[in-house]
Amino acid sequence: MTTIAAERHIQAVAFKPMRLGHANLFVADLERSIAFYSDVAGVELVRREPGIRGGFHSNGNTHHDIGLIEVAAGVRHGKSGFQQVSSRRGSQPGLNHFGWEMRSEAELIAALGRATDAGLSIANCSNHQISHSAYMIDPDGNYHEFYADIVEKWRSIFNLEREDLVTEAWDWKRSAPGSGPNPNDPKDHRRVEGALFHPRRITHATLGTKRFEEVKSFFVDVAGLSVVAASDGIAMFRGPQSPTFDLLLVSTQHGVAQGLLGISLEVEDEADFAKSRKLAAENGAQILGTLDLPRKRNVLLSDPDGLAVEVYCRRSGAKPVLPKAVDSARNQYWIFTA
Ligand SMILES: [Fe+2]
């Protein structure tokens, strides 16, 4: 049982990341998933890490919006024998973790101090060379990486020439906070010519949970995200750098599955998006559904493991709204109407 004093400590943890930086997925077949995220979804492959069967995709928003690690039995080792993925994880496709971008390493270290004082356990601490990270586990067992970028030019490490293992242990208690914040270059925009879609970045993810109130408390108290809107069993959260929201949490009482339900990629150019939608239909792409709403248009793709990938374009100035729960048997895509 959590005491009132302990609860108060937990409420004070609040990592307060700026935004969702990436989703990292365990995938059944790395090459198939790399081909899908590059050539269909249109997010450029920026790095391969054969030692962990990994691939990373970004169009310049940050070092990676999407990370992929192929499923395997047993431990995945990083640099110098570091246990990067334990043998208990990553044997099935699904969410590996969400990456939450902190403003600076100093803020990350301060938050880790508060988490330790509150008696929370930190699952893993890693030095990824581009960032320093700590992983926390929510009440459903989902992993959340809170990370701070530690280099100005991530492309010097994340590129297709380097394929070395980069991840090793990070001792945050002995770490001097680096020179950050290290903001991303706003002019770094890539476009995968020949891909069906041309998104700028990942904006949010959708998560199903059986323990709605407990997981919601994790996002508010431990992660320190703000609630944009919430109703019975549905909540939207954001960090201060997100223009709209970073995460939609949906209770399984509304007929959704537990775990990662989808990731959403934003296209900024409406005319370009219209062309992509037409091309996708003509090319017989695997499309689960499309929506045309006053606030946005989208296409729902299925990735090679069956994960829903929403590619969308928000109409200029339109604000997202909390989706209304409908009978999932009638319309399982209502969770993508935000
Ligand atoms: Fe990550």
Side-chain angles (χ1 to χ4, degrees), residues 22 24 64 97-99 128 133 135 145 147:
H22 62 264
N24 190 303
H64 64 291
H97 61 260
F98 291 124
H128 296 293
S133 309
Y135 296 79
E145 174 190 16
Y147 70 93

Side-chain angles (χ1 to χ4, degrees), residues 135-272:
Y135 296 79
M136 308 293 289
I137 306 174
D138 76 19
D140 274 347
N142 301 304
Y143 276 56
H144 299 273
E145 174 190 16
F146 295 94
Y147 70 93
D149 289 337
I150 55 166
V151 293
E152 270 183 46
K153 293 188 166 52
W154 58 263
R155 287 190 188 274
S156 65
I157 296 164
F158 265 41
N159 57 59
L160 292 174
E161 279 72 56
R162 272 184 74 158
E163 293 192 342
D164 54 328
L165 289 168
V166 289
T167 298
E168 58 191 339
W170 174 52
D171 184 351
W172 65 272
K173 286 183 184 162
R174 287 166 191 235
S175 184
S179 58
N182 291 292
N184 292 286
D185 177 0
K187 293 199 195 82
D188 187 346
H189 281 227
R190 300 291 174 99
R191 180 184 165 95
V192 183
E193 293 303 340
L196 273 183
F197 293 93
H198 305 287
R200 169 69 183 135
R201 62 188 185 104
I202 190 170
T203 52
H204 58 277
T206 304
L207 192 63
T209 178
K210 280 187 187 136
R211 300 171 192 83
F212 182 80
E213 290 304 328
E214 286 167 71
V215 176
K216 183 172 174 240
S217 296
F218 173 88
F219 284 119
V220 172
D221 299 333
V222 179
L225 297 171
S226 309
V227 176
V228 180
S231 72
D232 186 30
I234 308 174
M236 246 179 201
F237 305 88
R238 73 182 283 265
Q241 204 176 298
S242 162
T244 51
F245 68 106
D246 294 294
L247 187 92
L248 181 71
L249 183 69
V250 183
S251 165
T252 52
Q253 78 187 57
H254 295 305
V256 301
Q258 170 139 343
L260 183 63
L261 301 172
I263 57 172
S264 296
L265 307 173
E266 184 178 27
V267 175
E268 289 177 333
D269 182 335
E270 201 166 341
D272 185 65

